[in-house]
Every structure is written in C-alpha cells, then in structure tokens.
Amino acid sequence: MSSLVSLVYGESETRPQFYSRKEKSLGVLCSNFLGLYNGDCAGTSTVGLDDAANRLGVERRRMYDVVNILESIGVVARKAKNQYTWKGLEEIPRCLEQLKKDGLKENFNSAGSCSSARVSNENQCGGLLSLNTGGEANHLASLRKNNKSDKSLALLSQNFIKLFLCSNVDMILLDNAAKALPGDADDETTLRTKVRRLYDVANVFSSLNLIEKIRHSESGKPAYRWLGWKGKLKNGFDTASEINEPKKRVFGSDITNYNSKRNKTNSVVGWKSSKETSVRMHNKLVDLEHEYDENELKQHPRHKSTGIDFGPFAPVSVLKARDAAFKNVKQVQDMESLASTYRPQYHNQALYDLFAHYMEAWKSWLEATRKQQTQQIC
DNA sequence: TTTTCCCGCCAGAAG
DNA sequence: CTTCTGGCGGGAAAA
C-alpha cells in the first residue's frame, strides 16, 4: 500500500498515472488529433507531423498510423514530406461516396485495361487494380503512390469500409473481414497480422463514430457495425460545419446486387493480393457471416441483446434519467474534459483509485446511454 | 485464458 | 550518407 503511494509521488507533473493502455490507444490519439485541427481552415491549414506528434505527446510513428487512416477517409491529404493538408471532416461524406462507387464498380468489371472509363464493361483480365487506380480524374480519393505495397494501412482501411458500403451486411467480425479482404486468407500468420491492423483502423473509425463495436450478447465474439458519418465524433461534439438532421441511414445499405455466387471453394490458389473484386470479398464475407449466424442462432434464438450493464454505479432510474442526461450531454462533456484536465493529484493512492473508479463508472454509463440514444434515433 | 492492440525494430524509400 | 515512412509481429494490458 505505502509503496504505491511513494510511486504516485512522482515529480513528473502531468500524470502520475500508472501505465494505462487505453489512454494511448489510436482511437484516443485520433480524437486528440481531430480536436487539435478540426476547425482549422480546411484546405489551407497544414499539419506537420513533428508538430502534431509533439503537441499530442506521442512518437512520430503513431502519427503515421492515424494520419494514414484519416487520409483514407479524406480528412487529410499528404502534401509533402512531413506535411499534410487538413481537408476537414466535411470531406468524409464525399469520400465515402467515392469509395462506395469504386467498390461497386470493382464489383463486376475488373477495370483491367480501360483506365478511367465510367461505364462498366465486362471483361476480366488478370490484372485489375483495386482502387485509386491511375485515373487522374479521381480528385478526392487518396492518391497513394502506385504500388506502395498494397498492404498499406490506408488501403486496408478503405477496403474495410467498402465491405460495409458495398455489401448488405452491416455487422462484421474482424476475423471474417480479414479473411474476406484481399490477401492470403489461408496463412494463419498473415491473417493474424491483418487482424491486428484491422483493430487499429477499427479504433480510429470508432473514434470517428463511423462504426460501433457491438457485443453479441454472450458467447458471441465482438463485431463492428457500420454507423456511417453523422457529423459527430465519438465524444458527441458536432462537426464544426453544421447540424445535419437525424438521417435514418446515411448510405443505403439497400444495394441488392446480391449475386450469390457461393464461391465457397477457396482453393489454395487464391487471387493475387489486392487483385480481388469486391464481389468476391462480398460473397466471401456473406458466407462467413452466415456460417457464423447459423451457429450462433442455434442457441441464441432472437435476443434483443440490448443488455447494457451499468455496473456498480448504475443510476437508480436509468430510463428516467436518460433523456435528461442526453439533453445535457454537451455540458457533461465539458465536465468530462474538465475532470480529465484537472484530475486531482491525489497523493493518496486509495483516493486516487476511488476517483478513477468513479470516472470509469460514470464514463461507461454515459457511453451506454449514448449508444441507446443513437440506436433509437435510427 | 483469449482478445485486443501498443510499441518500436528495422527495411525500404526519399532526399 | 541521413531522414522519413510505415510494415510487421512480439508480447503485455484488458477482458
């Protein structure tokens, strides 16, 4: 007990905090990054990697992760060495639209020879580029260097999004996504690495509120559900831009290009990495999800799964409190940032822990409440 | 335990 | 050469 106290007594000002993994997550970093630049004049404000890294207190390596993913969404664009241009969150809907279009286009034609033809033509040649192919017309999409190792995080991130936008499934298990996305789906090591990466992008997308992590009641593995861009970040702040209406479902997930091919028989041959069409990814994914669902639904008939556990600090009347709480989210947010900014520097470990505990409990309650709210909205 | 996923090594690419 | 990028996977925190 006393030994800990002495530890907390650190002379390092800011944060006695013992190591906490989640405070350093990419998601948090992304939020901070956005908080730092959102509001800047889009298109002209430039982001310096070193500057950002310093201001956010992280190593430069991490900036690459965040920036690459954000770039795949159009929020920033690489300008030069160490320099990115802030494009703004307003860029997101446009970019998603484009990704969806690209994804659908890749569906049937393979875009082999024809460079930027708008009309789809049926001809499948061996070499088909995945996205951001040559087409200079492709203004706002990412402009990756040609074949910069098609394993890039940015590409993975875009393909991950396409999975949602171009298929009718809206709940995806990362394991399945890894298998469905381009690349070797048979090699266990490769898959594990890909899943690691997917966790990375999922974290930043979560902080953008583009997707949401959901838990399939019990026994179910965690999965992600597409939310689409609603103009709000994870912490409830509105985009600087405007206050769009509720919007039932941002992008139609009603594409019915089902084309169930049942190409279950995945031979060892497989397709060259990144040369896979969305349709294959789609079908593959659908298969995987079905497989999963069949197994799942066996024992869990049709559970509402809205079981939120409020933990030990559950408010007495959650339901009653919920509405009120939501009206005050904004204010609460201020409290939150205040609390984290002026976190008491308790020299007594017990007190410190208690405070932390309260914060945790309160945060999860707030989070859960928010989730329910958004669920009701759409 | 398994799942999540941060950290930072180090191999190219750029300058 | 130095500096910048960013795959990659070990292994430890979280569940």
Side-chain angles (χ1 to χ4, degrees):
Chain A
M1 191 260 295
S2 51
S3 57
L4 291 180
V5 174
S6 57
L7 269 175
V8 185
Y9 213 79
E11 55 295 316
S12 60
E13 23 49 61
T14 41
R15 228 175 291 151
Q17 205 69 316
F18 302 104
Y19 180 78
S20 166
R21 211 182 182 206
K22 44 184 154 192
E23 286 182 2
K24 308 198 165 193
S25 80
L26 276 190
V28 176
L29 176 58
C30 176
S31 293
N32 293 339
F33 180 84
L34 263 27
L36 204 52
Y37 294 97
N38 193 16
D40 279 16
C41 185
T44 54
S45 175
T46 90
V47 178
L49 279 188
D50 287 301
D51 180 50
N54 288 333
R55 296 220 261 163
L56 296 170
V58 298
E59 317 111 65
R60 153 183 273 268
R61 176 69 192 78
R62 298 283 70 81
M63 294 311 302
Y64 289 119
D65 289 333
V66 173
V67 156
N68 281 337
I69 296 175
L70 288 180
E71 184 182 22
S72 78
I73 293 308
V75 176
V76 298
R78 189 198 178 76
K79 189 170 70 178
K81 193 169 91 173
N82 268 65
Q83 300 271 286
Y84 281 80
T85 302
W86 173 257
K87 303 305 279 280
L89 299 171
E90 314 83 76
E91 214 53 41
I92 294 179
R94 254 190 294 282
C95 204
L96 292 182
E97 202 58 71
Q98 181 66 41
L99 282 176
K100 180 177 176 182
K101 239 177 0 183
D102 289 350
L104 290 177
K105 177 148 58 167
E106 291 162 23
N107 258 355
F108 303 98
N109 77 357
S110 23
S113 49
C114 53
S115 41
S116 57
R118 63 183 73 265
V119 187
S120 60
N121 54 351
E122 325 245 345
N123 58 356
Q124 81 299 43
C125 357
L128 51 168
L129 317 184
S130 50
L131 74 161
N132 48 274
T133 63
E136 298 69 33
N138 197 349
H139 18 281
L140 29 89
S142 62
L143 20 143
R144 197 76 297 175
K145 321 291 183 126
N146 18 29
N147 50 13
K148 169 51 184 172
S149 190
D150 39 34
K151 299 182 201 168
S152 80
L153 233 204
L155 236 171
L156 181 73
S157 146
Q158 291 186 323
N159 282 330
F160 184 50
I161 288 180
K162 286 180 185 176
L163 274 187
F164 284 110
L165 296 185
C166 304
S167 76
N168 47 1
V169 288
D170 71 336
M171 199 218 285
I172 299 181
L173 301 171
L174 294 192
D175 275 323
N176 291 344
K179 285 176 192 147
L181 290 170
D184 188 351
D186 297 317
D187 180 35
E188 192 51 42
T189 338
T190 303
L191 271 181
R192 283 203 326 181
T193 294
K194 202 170 352 170
V195 170
R196 283 198 192 94
R197 265 16 345 138
L198 282 173
Y199 276 118
D200 293 341
V201 329
N203 280 336
V204 345
F205 284 168
S206 286
S207 82
L208 283 169
N209 239 11
L210 277 175
I211 60 176
E212 161 193 52
K213 187 191 215 155
I214 54 180
R215 205 106 214 172
H216 197 299
S217 303
E218 38 205 305
S219 85
K221 301 247 181 163
Y224 287 90
R225 156 177 296 136
W226 180 252
L227 295 179
W229 179 241
K230 308 262 202 334
K232 292 199 179 100
L233 300 182
K234 179 64 167 291
N235 27 45
F237 292 128
D238 285 348
T239 299
S241 52
E242 34 57 284
I243 24 56
N244 55 4
E245 27 60 59
K247 228 165 200 187
K248 43 297 178 183
R249 186 105 281 225
V250 179
F251 287 117
S253 43
D254 48 6
I255 337 112
T256 328
N257 56 334
Y258 203 47
N259 188 290
S260 197
K261 276 286 288 301
R262 281 280 132 182
N263 53 359
K264 176 57 145 275
T265 55
N266 54 358
S267 55
V268 198
V269 193
W271 323 282
K272 236 38 231 168
S273 56
S274 96
K275 318 252 175 177
E276 192 168 352
T277 63
S278 292
V279 102
R280 295 183 103 146
M281 300 189 328
H282 174 201
N283 289 337
K284 211 158 164 191
L285 184 66
V286 169
D287 282 349
L288 289 167
E289 299 298 341
H290 282 353
E291 243 170 64
Y292 178 75
D293 284 348
E294 277 162 27
N295 294 335
E296 262 327 289
L297 289 177
K298 289 266 177 55
Q299 0 351 42
H300 310 289
R302 176 98 319 211
H303 198 346
K304 192 36 221 133
S305 92
T306 317
I308 309 246
D309 185 352
F310 291 107
F313 293 92
V316 188
S317 54
V318 182
L319 291 196
K320 210 134 24 110
R322 186 166 59 211
D323 289 345
F326 251 88
K327 292 212 189 84
N328 295 321
V329 171
K330 207 52 185 254
Q331 297 157 44
V332 175
Q333 287 304 332
D334 294 335
M335 294 290 287
E336 182 171 14
S337 57
L338 246 152
S340 53
T341 305
Y342 298 105
R343 186 177 294 244
Q345 305 283 305
Y346 292 119
H347 284 184
N348 176 309
Q349 183 59 28
L351 269 183
Y352 184 85
D353 284 343
L354 188 59
F355 178 74
H357 190 184
Y358 263 97
M359 284 295 291
E360 248 342 281
W362 176 75
K363 269 190 202 159
S364 59
W365 170 79
L366 186 66
E367 176 69 7
T369 306
R370 260 188 217 130
K371 268 189 193 137
Q372 288 202 342
Q373 182 72 12
T374 42
Q375 255 172 286
Q376 291 178 343
I377 293 292
C378 53

